[in-house]
PDB file of all heavy atoms in Angstrom:
ATOM      1  N   PRO E  79      -9.155  -1.209  19.974  1.00 92.00           N
ATOM      2  CA  PRO E  79     -10.155  -1.627  18.974  1.00 92.00           C
ATOM      3  C   PRO E  79     -10.951  -0.454  18.382  1.00 92.00           C
ATOM      4  O   PRO E  79     -11.342  -0.500  17.232  1.00 92.00           O
ATOM      5  CB  PRO E  79     -11.090  -2.565  19.762  1.00 92.00           C
ATOM      6  CG  PRO E  79     -10.660  -2.564  21.154  1.00 92.00           C
ATOM      7  CD  PRO E  79      -9.370  -1.812  21.316  1.00 92.00           C
ATOM      8  N   THR E 123      -7.651  -8.328  15.841  1.00 96.00           N
ATOM      9  CA  THR E 123      -8.658  -7.287  15.885  1.00 96.00           C
ATOM     10  C   THR E 123      -9.880  -7.742  16.661  1.00 96.00           C
ATOM     11  O   THR E 123      -9.904  -8.907  17.169  1.00 96.00           O
ATOM     12  CB  THR E 123      -9.069  -6.845  14.470  1.00 96.00           C
ATOM     13  OG1 THR E 123      -9.915  -5.698  14.558  1.00 96.00           O
ATOM     14  CG2 THR E 123      -9.807  -7.920  13.724  1.00 96.00           C
ATOM     15  N   GLN E 124     -10.885  -6.893  16.787  1.00 97.00           N
ATOM     16  CA  GLN E 124     -12.135  -7.242  17.433  1.00 97.00           C
ATOM     17  C   GLN E 124     -13.288  -6.879  16.521  1.00 97.00           C
ATOM     18  O   GLN E 124     -13.055  -6.293  15.450  1.00 97.00           O
ATOM     19  CB  GLN E 124     -12.268  -6.493  18.784  1.00 97.00           C
ATOM     20  CG  GLN E 124     -11.111  -6.815  19.723  1.00 97.00           C
ATOM     21  CD  GLN E 124     -11.279  -6.279  21.096  1.00 97.00           C
ATOM     22  OE1 GLN E 124     -12.359  -5.814  21.484  1.00 97.00           O
ATOM     23  NE2 GLN E 124     -10.223  -6.334  21.905  1.00 97.00           N
ATOM     24  N   VAL E 125     -14.508  -7.226  16.889  1.00 97.00           N
ATOM     25  CA  VAL E 125     -15.616  -6.955  15.974  1.00 97.00           C
ATOM     26  C   VAL E 125     -16.068  -5.475  16.023  1.00 97.00           C
ATOM     27  O   VAL E 125     -16.767  -5.033  15.125  1.00 97.00           O
ATOM     28  CB  VAL E 125     -16.867  -7.833  16.261  1.00 97.00           C
ATOM     29  CG1 VAL E 125     -16.585  -9.287  15.982  1.00 97.00           C
ATOM     30  CG2 VAL E 125     -17.382  -7.636  17.670  1.00 97.00           C
ATOM     31  N   TYR E 126     -15.621  -4.715  17.022  1.00 97.00           N
ATOM     32  CA  TYR E 126     -16.166  -3.372  17.190  1.00 97.00           C
ATOM     33  C   TYR E 126     -16.054  -2.438  15.948  1.00 97.00           C
ATOM     34  O   TYR E 126     -17.030  -1.749  15.624  1.00 97.00           O
ATOM     35  CB  TYR E 126     -15.517  -2.703  18.411  1.00 97.00           C
ATOM     36  CG  TYR E 126     -15.815  -3.429  19.676  1.00 97.00           C
ATOM     37  CD1 TYR E 126     -14.819  -4.042  20.416  1.00 97.00           C
ATOM     38  CD2 TYR E 126     -17.149  -3.530  20.142  1.00 97.00           C
ATOM     39  CE1 TYR E 126     -15.117  -4.760  21.570  1.00 97.00           C
ATOM     40  CE2 TYR E 126     -17.425  -4.231  21.293  1.00 97.00           C
ATOM     41  CZ  TYR E 126     -16.416  -4.842  22.008  1.00 97.00           C
ATOM     42  OH  TYR E 126     -16.691  -5.536  23.161  1.00 97.00           O
ATOM     43  N   PRO E 127     -14.917  -2.387  15.270  1.00 97.00           N
ATOM     44  CA  PRO E 127     -14.853  -1.470  14.115  1.00 97.00           C
ATOM     45  C   PRO E 127     -15.910  -1.835  13.051  1.00 97.00           C
ATOM     46  O   PRO E 127     -16.408  -0.956  12.357  1.00 97.00           O
ATOM     47  CB  PRO E 127     -13.449  -1.722  13.535  1.00 97.00           C
ATOM     48  CG  PRO E 127     -12.663  -2.296  14.669  1.00 97.00           C
ATOM     49  CD  PRO E 127     -13.615  -3.093  15.493  1.00 97.00           C
ATOM     50  N   PHE E 128     -16.273  -3.109  12.999  1.00 98.00           N
ATOM     51  CA  PHE E 128     -17.224  -3.546  11.959  1.00 98.00           C
ATOM     52  C   PHE E 128     -18.679  -3.277  12.411  1.00 98.00           C
ATOM     53  O   PHE E 128     -19.494  -2.763  11.628  1.00 98.00           O
ATOM     54  CB  PHE E 128     -17.037  -5.058  11.697  1.00 98.00           C
ATOM     55  CG  PHE E 128     -15.628  -5.402  11.325  1.00 98.00           C
ATOM     56  CD1 PHE E 128     -14.756  -6.004  12.240  1.00 98.00           C
ATOM     57  CD2 PHE E 128     -15.109  -5.048  10.075  1.00 98.00           C
ATOM     58  CE1 PHE E 128     -13.444  -6.285  11.933  1.00 98.00           C
ATOM     59  CE2 PHE E 128     -13.803  -5.351   9.740  1.00 98.00           C
ATOM     60  CZ  PHE E 128     -12.961  -5.955  10.665  1.00 98.00           C
ATOM     61  N   ILE E 129     -18.969  -3.610  13.678  1.00 98.00           N
ATOM     62  CA  ILE E 129     -20.379  -3.490  14.086  1.00 98.00           C
ATOM     63  C   ILE E 129     -20.734  -2.112  14.646  1.00 98.00           C
ATOM     64  O   ILE E 129     -21.910  -1.740  14.716  1.00 98.00           O
ATOM     65  CB  ILE E 129     -20.799  -4.584  15.101  1.00 98.00           C
ATOM     66  CG1 ILE E 129     -20.022  -4.449  16.397  1.00 98.00           C
ATOM     67  CG2 ILE E 129     -20.606  -5.963  14.501  1.00 98.00           C
ATOM     68  CD1 ILE E 129     -20.601  -5.340  17.509  1.00 98.00           C
ATOM     69  N   LEU E 130     -19.741  -1.332  15.074  1.00 98.00           N
ATOM     70  CA  LEU E 130     -20.077  -0.004  15.633  1.00 98.00           C
ATOM     71  C   LEU E 130     -19.789   1.132  14.648  1.00 98.00           C
ATOM     72  O   LEU E 130     -20.341   2.213  14.735  1.00 98.00           O
ATOM     73  CB  LEU E 130     -19.312   0.243  16.942  1.00 98.00           C
ATOM     74  CG  LEU E 130     -19.693  -0.686  18.079  1.00 98.00           C
ATOM     75  CD1 LEU E 130     -18.930  -0.315  19.353  1.00 98.00           C
ATOM     76  CD2 LEU E 130     -21.201  -0.621  18.372  1.00 98.00           C
ATOM     77  N   ARG E 131     -18.870   0.852  13.688  1.00 97.00           N
ATOM     78  CA  ARG E 131     -18.552   1.923  12.749  1.00 97.00           C
ATOM     79  C   ARG E 131     -18.852   1.541  11.294  1.00 97.00           C
ATOM     80  O   ARG E 131     -18.580   2.283  10.349  1.00 97.00           O
ATOM     81  CB  ARG E 131     -17.074   2.317  12.842  1.00 97.00           C
ATOM     82  CG  ARG E 131     -16.747   3.114  14.068  1.00 97.00           C
ATOM     83  CD  ARG E 131     -15.369   3.711  14.023  1.00 97.00           C
ATOM     84  NE  ARG E 131     -15.101   4.491  15.191  1.00 97.00           N
ATOM     85  CZ  ARG E 131     -13.881   4.739  15.687  1.00 97.00           C
ATOM     86  NH1 ARG E 131     -12.820   4.228  15.081  1.00 97.00           N
ATOM     87  NH2 ARG E 131     -13.739   5.485  16.757  1.00 97.00           N
TER      88      ARG E 131
END
Side-chain angles (χ1 to χ4, degrees):
T123 188
Q124 300 189 12
V125 294
Y126 298 114
F128 306 103
I129 65 168
L130 294 182
R131 286 191 178 153

